[in-house]
Amino acid sequence: MLLFLIVGLLVHSVFFASIFDIYFTSPLDHGMTPRFTPLLPPARSLVLFVADGLRADALFLDEDGHSRAPYIRNIIMHEGSWGMSHTHVPTESRPGNVALVTGFYEDVSAVAKGWKENPVEFDSLFNESKYTWSWGSFDTLRIFTKGASGDHFYTHAYGIEREDFVVQNAAELDLWVFDNVKEFFRTAGDNQSLLSKLNEEKIVFFFYLLGIDINGHTHWPYSRKYKDNIKTVDDGVKEIVSVFENFYGNDGKTAFFFTSDHGITDWGYDGTGHRSETRTPLVIWGAGIKSPQSASAQPFDDAILKEWKLETWERFGVSQADIAPLMASLIGVSFPLNSLGILSVDYLNTTELFKAESMFTNAVQILEQFKPHPYGIETWPMAAERVAAFLAMPCIRSLKMTQKKEVTLSFLFTPFKLLSDSKQLSIKARSYIEERKYDELVFLCKEPIGLTLEGLFYYHTYDRFFLGLNVVTGFVGWISYASLLIIKCHSDLTRGLRKVKKPSCLRLCGFVAIGLSVAFFLLIQASPWTYYVYCLLPVPMWCAVLRECHVIQAFVTSLLAYPLRYSLGCLLVFILGIEVLVLSFLYRCTLTAGFFAFAGWPVLTQLWTAKITSLSWTFSLLTAVFPLMPVAGRKPDLSLVTCAGLLVLLLSLFVITFLIRSKEQFVTQELLAHLLPMLSMVLSMLVVYNTHHSLLRKEGPLPNQVLSWTVLASSLVVPLLSPSLVFQQLSSILLSLMPTYLLLSTGYEALFPLLLSCLMFFWNNMEQEALKQSGVSCNQKITSIDFSYHMDISQFRQHYLDDIHRAFFLGFFLVTALFATGNIASINSFDLVVSCFLTVFSPFMMGALTLWKILVPFVLVMCTFEAVQLTTQLPARSLLHIVLIIPDIMALHFFFLVKDSGSWLDIGISHYVTVMSMTIFLVFLNGLPQLLTTKELRLCRKPKSHLI
């Protein structure tokens, strides 16, 4: 079985990695020719303000004639154009800022790095500019330093210690940016080299303002801190604009952009697809920008314009990626090479020729990623003639298509045909040229752009079906082989069968031939080495499956011995149970139905013990409430956290009282093992209360952090002091882990591990009663069973069909541990959860603490599972092998639900990764529950006993 686990780990690692090769490879190409508008641009410099976490309604809302951003509102009404920029999910800082200055949405291969880094180099507006100066957080500015060519991108960043979201006022981060910019221009006159650069054309200034986002996470977007920060940014923008006007002598050659990378939800989160996150403000003014236009009717049917009192001013709407080509056209730099944004000419206050020329450049730049550009066309003087020549090409050949065609057999290659004939487009273009209908010509350029985007996606996903088919074949093969191995090793079905001495030579040669054929097919197509892994992995798997044909025969014979109705009923229940687990990832309320089914299990199995039935109903129904509650953290309530702490203290007193009554002697170490968790719980309650009030006073709770880390460190040591009896050990583990969980809780979820553990204890009792009902002798009480007790191998039993429900219950409780309070869904809300441990922004440490919070219920369930295996007389890990198949079946479901666009929940990778991680964690983390339940740390060799 050790070999089986090692092979299984390798196979699951391949399945885990396959999702990134199939769905999340980088769509970026390199080697295209930069394209820029050849006419004189209206602006010589551009200023980009990005207010991280700023919602559109928070900026535009007018409260009784008082705007939160009076200067920006004055720009809307008297100087520039405004609208909303619609972001794409995931609404994180990296994808948002990348879309703004590169023109393409998130590089999906960055999902493996949590949208925090760009895994490949890409072109940007900053890279195409003559010089770029930037101010803000280093974490964001460094995104654009990778891949930047030459020595023309300058960053001014504050240290990570300033990103303390408790002691520091987050608005200070934005004030730091404004103050440093003013100092920069004040001293520029004394530096001739710098002064010369600042007077160049095609230069960009980037101001990244993080304060609003931090205040939104910490205090929520309707708080006074969030609103005041908006006013701070508004005042700062006004000052910076004045600095630019004074420095350049009001030459009118600077364009200003004010926007946000993403919004924020009412409960302080980002990363999902909520409308408050995807709608961000966009205000543009200065050189080349259209002045405010009155509008009697708006092309939008929402009512927010009246709420904002902006219904009389024309509003424009763009996608976030469309801002990059607009900025590039204004200062005359090349459009970013990988940009897929479509130029919004509605914002421009230029000649119709400039608009047509810019739109054509935009079309050429996008089509450049799809096809080689016709030789010499960039030298033609008139934009209209260039458009006609471009569209008159009889066939548009794709760069991606050429690459794909070279490595695909000709009879298997299927080209993208929608761009193969552009004759009609050419005819229309020539007619618009003769009539000088530049507006229609601009519109005409948008049509091939849309088709090009479809073609790029077509070739980027060309191999997706082929690779997916091979991975699914391997998945099904592995599940089949694992199931057959369990039947063979842990059941009596194959006991009477004659052992197969050696596999059929013909079958073995057949699979070798298949493997060689697949390898040759991939070789002639010059496929990457990962394709060999995905395509060849199913071959040995199915060879192993067919090798166990005698097990298949015994299994089928066993099924035929049962009535058809019974077999179909069991299959239906199993499928229904798997679907409940799958749906619980998508809809948490599905878990409630599972708890109702668990509460009815004693009735269906006729376990008519009044005590067991009533207690199982009670705790099942109480725990069933959690999936119906809002995601944990949206409504903090310290009173519930305190209530959970008091209940744990009450449970501790009950356990100590029970042990005193049941034992004549009470060892000092045992007493210590129960008093230390009580002390930790009292300290945790005090730390949570004191930290909450320290945050309100903007004080750094350093002593609280020291105590929190001490409690966390002791939580894994204290259980080792307890005796290895089942009741004492399980209660000790719960009482030791609860203080840490309490420190990481904000509301009702603090009650969850307590109720879940109580339900787990009665599950263990019910399994023992069910075993007795099936006729297996089991005379020991739960309270007297010892984890360290090794049964004689003759007492071990083989698996029965009834053991499948035990494996399913474990899978259900593990999913419940992950999703009952929505912890996975809310994993991006770090600041409210970890403030007892740290207040400085540290993504790695915050993520680790939040992950530990998620794993605490997971560990409690696994420890109970150890007890279930012991009480049901099953060998260690034998039942675990059945459990490992359930996540594989679920992963197969989620494999078909994965998408390469959307939020963490929308794209489905979080579900697939979670299920695959469950399988891997069950193998590795199975050692932690065994350590906690079977090992005992002796403080002294001869422990002293006291009479109580």
Side-chain angles (χ1 to χ4, degrees):
M1 277 301 171
L2 178 61
L3 179 62
F4 171 75
L5 291 177
I6 294 175
V7 173
L9 183 62
L10 294 176
V11 168
H12 283 85
S13 299
V14 172
F15 292 155
F16 186 91
S18 68
I19 203 72
F20 299 100
D21 271 340
I22 297 174
Y23 290 98
F24 301 103
T25 55
S26 176
L28 304 184
D29 283 322
H30 300 280
M32 291 81 70
T33 303
R35 303 293 171 184
F36 63 92
T37 305
L39 302 179
L40 183 67
R44 60 184 303 278
S45 61
L46 183 140
V47 178
L48 174 61
F49 299 95
V50 176
D52 195 337
L54 177 60
R55 294 163 47 145
D57 58 347
L59 179 72
F60 295 139
L61 187 62
D62 185 273
E63 299 176 316
D64 300 326
H66 299 284
S67 173
R68 299 170 185 168
Y71 179 73
I72 297 296
R73 193 173 187 86
N74 181 71
I75 293 293
I76 295 173
M77 301 174 68
H78 299 98
E79 295 187 37
S81 298
W82 77 285
M84 282 199 298
S85 167
H86 297 275
T87 71
H88 275 208
V89 283
T91 49
E92 303 279 357
S93 294
R94 178 202 171 277
N97 283 282
V98 167
L100 285 170
V101 298
T102 66
F104 69 85
Y105 294 109
E106 70 279 352
D107 177 2
V108 293
S109 63
V111 69
K113 298 190 176 183
W115 309 120
K116 299 302 180 185
E117 290 187 51
N118 47 300
V120 297
E121 295 181 2
F122 51 73
D123 194 23
S124 69
L125 176 75
F126 302 152
N127 195 44
E128 295 294 345
S129 66
K130 187 69 175 290
Y131 297 105
T132 293
W133 289 269
S134 60
W135 288 263
S137 170
F138 176 73
D139 287 336
T140 298
L141 300 184
R142 69 174 178 174
I143 294 174
F144 305 103
T145 58
K146 179 180 179 180
S149 60
D151 184 21
H152 69 280
F153 184 74
Y154 305 100
T155 61
H156 305 267
Y158 41 75
I160 189 66
E161 68 278 357
R162 286 184 172 271
E163 297 182 31
D164 189 321
F165 49 81
V166 174
V167 178
Q168 299 290 338
N169 182 359
E172 295 291 336
L173 300 177
D174 301 335
L175 292 175
W176 183 95
V177 171
F178 297 137
D179 292 341
N180 277 264
V181 172
K182 289 184 285 187
E183 179 65 18
F184 173 81
F185 279 98
R186 189 185 66 80
T187 59
D190 301 328
N191 188 332
Q192 289 302 317
S193 175
L194 176 60
L195 188 62
S196 175
K197 293 177 181 178
L198 289 173
N199 283 285
E200 292 279 357
E201 297 181 345
K202 303 179 180 180
I203 59 177
V204 177
F205 301 90
F206 175 48
F207 307 128
Y208 177 66
L209 309 172
L210 182 60
I212 294 177
D213 183 67
I214 292 181
N215 274 321
H217 286 307
T218 309
H219 305 288
W220 297 9
Y222 292 110
S223 65
R224 176 52 55 188
K225 292 283 186 182
Y226 187 86
K227 296 177 181 178
D228 289 345
N229 205 154
I230 295 176
K231 182 64 169 64
T232 299
V233 168
D234 183 71
D235 293 338
V237 171
K238 181 179 180 180
E239 294 177 2
I240 297 302
V241 171
S242 178
V243 168
F244 273 87
E245 290 176 346
N246 293 333
F247 186 84
Y248 289 110
N250 292 300
D251 60 356
K253 290 293 185 178
T254 302
F256 297 90
F257 282 67
F258 182 87
T259 186
S260 174
D261 52 359
H262 61 80
I264 197 168
T265 63
D266 292 346
W267 49 93
Y269 292 178
D270 59 47
T272 66
H274 196 273
R275 196 167 64 168
S276 60
E277 301 173 74
T278 59
R279 297 197 308 188
T280 56
L282 177 62
V283 181
I284 313 175
W285 69 99
I289 300 301
K290 187 183 297 183
S291 59
Q293 305 292 317
S294 59
S296 57
Q298 296 279 7
F300 307 97
D301 57 0
D302 50 40
I304 58 175
L305 291 176
K306 293 183 179 180
E307 183 181 351
W308 297 344
K309 299 180 181 179
L310 292 172
E311 66 274 15
T312 57
W313 303 102
E314 186 177 11
R315 165 192 157 189
F316 300 101
V318 297
S319 294
Q320 195 172 52
D322 298 339
I323 297 176
L326 178 60
M327 293 189 293
S329 65
L330 283 171
I331 58 176
V333 300
S334 298
F335 285 41
L337 294 178
N338 303 115
S339 173
L340 300 177
I342 301 176
L343 177 64
S344 179
V345 296
D346 295 333
Y347 282 100
L348 295 177
N349 182 25
T350 59
T351 63
E352 296 301 318
L353 177 61
F354 183 86
K355 293 179 181 179
E357 185 72 50
S358 298
M359 195 68 215
F360 169 73
T361 304
N362 186 201
V364 171
Q365 172 267 319
I366 293 178
L367 288 163
E368 180 77 19
Q369 301 175 62
F370 191 85
K371 69 168 199 67
H373 201 281
Y375 175 76
I377 198 171
E378 66 276 0
T379 62
W380 295 9
M382 295 298 294
E385 295 175 3
R386 294 163 64 196
V387 172
F390 183 76
L391 296 178
M393 295 181 63
C395 180
I396 299 179
R397 295 186 179 273
S398 166
L399 177 63
K400 283 184 176 290
M401 182 188 75
T402 303
Q403 296 171 349
K404 188 57 61 180
K405 191 173 183 178
E406 290 175 352
V407 296
T408 305
L409 297 177
S410 59
F411 66 90
L412 295 177
F413 180 73
T414 305
F416 182 74
K417 299 179 179 180
L418 293 180
L419 275 172
S420 60
D421 185 8
S422 53
K423 184 177 180 180
Q424 294 299 323
L425 295 177
S426 175
I427 295 175
K428 290 182 181 179
R430 292 188 182 279
S431 65
Y432 292 153
I433 292 170
E434 296 172 358
E435 301 174 12
R436 294 189 178 275
K437 295 182 178 180
Y438 294 115
D439 289 340
E440 287 80 355
L441 191 60
V442 168
F443 180 78
L444 185 63
C445 286
K446 295 181 180 180
E447 184 175 351
I449 290 178
L451 294 176
T452 301
L453 298 181
E454 292 183 28
L456 290 173
F457 178 78
Y458 173 81
Y459 286 114
H460 177 63
T461 60
Y462 190 84
D463 290 334
R464 181 170 294 179
F465 177 78
F466 171 71
L467 293 177
L469 180 63
N470 282 277
V471 171
V472 169
T473 305
F475 242 128
V476 176
W478 170 257
I479 294 172
S480 302
Y481 177 69
S483 302
L484 293 174
L485 197 62
I486 292 172
I487 295 173
K488 179 181 179 181
C489 299
H490 297 293
S491 72
D492 296 327
L493 295 181
T494 59
R495 179 172 297 181
L497 294 179
R498 181 171 54 88
K499 185 176 180 180
V500 179
K501 295 182 178 181
K502 60 179 181 179
S504 169
C505 182
L506 181 62
R507 182 173 62 242
L508 185 60
C509 292
F511 277 100
V512 170
I514 292 174
L516 292 175
S517 301
V518 171
F520 180 73
F521 175 76
L522 296 174
L523 181 64
I524 61 177
Q525 296 198 120
S527 301
W529 68 270
T530 53
Y531 282 38
Y532 288 85
V533 177
Y534 304 141
C535 296
L536 292 176
L537 188 60
V539 177
M541 284 187 182
W542 283 102
C543 181
V545 169
L546 294 183
R547 184 180 181 182
E548 305 294 340
C549 58
H550 62 293
V551 181
I552 300 175
Q553 179 183 358
F555 180 68
V556 173
T557 303
S558 176
L559 285 181
L560 294 177
Y562 291 95
L564 181 61
R565 181 180 302 178
Y566 178 81
S567 300
L568 292 178
C570 290
L571 179 62
L572 181 62
V573 170
F574 181 77
I575 294 175
L576 183 62
I578 293 295
E579 292 303 320
V580 167
L581 294 180
V582 170
L583 289 175
S584 64
F585 277 66
L586 307 174
Y587 310 100
R588 290 171 50 231
C589 59
T590 310
L591 292 172
T592 301
F595 280 112
F596 283 132
F598 182 79
W601 176 56
V603 179
L604 296 176
T605 55
Q606 298 180 356
L607 290 175
W608 287 108
T609 303
K611 180 181 177 180
I612 291 180
T613 304
S614 60
L615 290 175
S616 66
W617 284 358
T618 301
F619 286 103
S620 293
L621 296 180
L622 286 175
T623 315
V625 175
F626 287 95
L628 301 177
M629 300 288 286
V631 172
R634 293 187 179 181
K635 295 182 179 180
D637 190 344
L638 293 184
S639 62
L640 291 176
V641 178
T642 304
C643 179
L646 294 175
L647 288 175
V648 172
L649 290 176
L650 186 63
L651 178 63
S652 301
L653 293 175
F654 168 78
V655 171
I656 293 177
T657 303
F658 175 80
L659 294 176
I660 291 175
R661 291 181 177 179
S662 62
K663 304 180 77 172
E664 294 182 358
Q665 289 185 328
F666 206 58
V667 182
T668 302
Q669 181 169 317
E670 295 182 43
L671 185 62
L672 187 64
H674 289 85
L675 290 180
L676 284 178
M678 294 180 67
L679 176 61
S680 297
M681 180 55 64
V682 173
L683 290 176
S684 297
M685 294 169 63
L686 293 176
V687 166
V688 170
Y689 178 82
N690 186 261
T691 300
H692 174 71
H693 290 281
S694 297
L695 298 182
L696 295 178
R697 296 192 301 268
K698 308 299 289 184
E699 297 177 356
L702 181 59
N704 294 348
Q705 294 177 20
V706 174
L707 288 175
S708 298
W709 286 107
T710 303
V711 170
L712 175 61
S714 66
S715 62
L716 294 177
V717 178
V718 173
L720 301 179
L721 300 176
S722 176
S724 54
L725 295 175
V726 168
F727 175 75
Q728 289 183 245
Q729 194 67 45
L730 291 180
S731 60
S732 177
I733 293 172
L734 168 65
L735 299 177
S736 301
L737 295 179
M738 273 301 296
T740 303
Y741 194 87
L742 208 70
L743 293 170
L744 295 169
S745 299
T746 58
Y748 74 87
E749 80 272 19
L751 297 166
F752 175 66
L754 181 61
L755 291 175
L756 181 64
S757 295
C758 293
L759 182 60
M760 292 293 94
F761 180 77
F762 290 106
W763 173 42
N764 193 16
N765 278 270
M766 286 189 290
E767 291 295 355
Q768 190 179 42
E769 293 295 327
L771 194 66
K772 291 179 181 178
Q773 189 183 66
S774 64
V776 178
S777 175
C778 186
N779 298 322
Q780 278 189 301
K781 294 183 178 180
I782 294 293
T783 54
S784 63
I785 298 178
D786 195 325
F787 273 115
S788 61
Y789 175 67
H790 298 282
M791 291 186 297
D792 189 277
I793 193 170
S794 62
Q795 293 181 285
F796 290 150
R797 63 178 180 83
Q798 296 287 7
H799 284 300
Y800 302 145
L801 185 62
D802 193 45
D803 288 322
I804 296 179
H805 87 264
R806 296 183 176 94
F808 174 78
F809 280 160
L810 175 62
F812 173 75
F813 288 129
L814 289 176
V815 173
T816 299
L818 295 176
F819 288 97
T821 60
N823 287 327
I824 293 294
S826 63
I827 197 170
N828 57 350
S829 178
F830 294 140
D831 46 350
L832 292 174
V833 176
V834 301
S835 53
C836 290
F837 290 88
L838 73 164
T839 56
V840 177
F841 183 73
S842 176
F844 177 78
M845 190 61 67
M846 290 175 169
L849 288 171
T850 307
L851 183 61
W852 175 244
K853 177 185 177 182
I854 295 170
L855 288 180
V856 165
F858 195 93
V859 172
L860 293 175
V861 173
M862 287 300 296
C863 289
T864 306
F865 178 64
E866 290 292 323
V868 169
Q869 288 189 112
L870 195 61
T871 56
T872 54
Q873 301 178 5
L874 284 170
R877 298 189 181 91
S878 64
L879 193 58
L880 183 64
H881 297 154
I882 301 179
V883 178
L884 292 175
I885 296 177
I886 296 177
D888 286 341
I889 299 175
M890 296 171 61
L892 195 57
H893 279 70
F894 289 121
F895 184 84
F896 294 103
L897 298 178
V898 174
K899 300 184 296 183
D900 58 1
S901 62
S903 68
W904 285 107
L905 299 180
D906 292 333
I907 62 180
I909 188 173
S910 59
H911 299 142
Y912 181 82
V913 170
T914 300
V915 174
M916 294 299 294
S917 300
M918 279 179 61
T919 304
I920 299 174
F921 283 171
L922 282 173
V923 175
F924 282 104
L925 290 184
N926 189 51
L928 179 59
Q930 285 189 337
L931 174 66
L932 294 176
T933 55
T934 60
K935 301 300 180 182
E936 184 177 357
L937 182 64
R938 291 289 182 180
L939 297 180
C940 55
R941 293 184 179 180
K942 294 182 179 180
K944 184 178 179 181
S945 299
H946 298 274
L947 292 175
I948 302 294

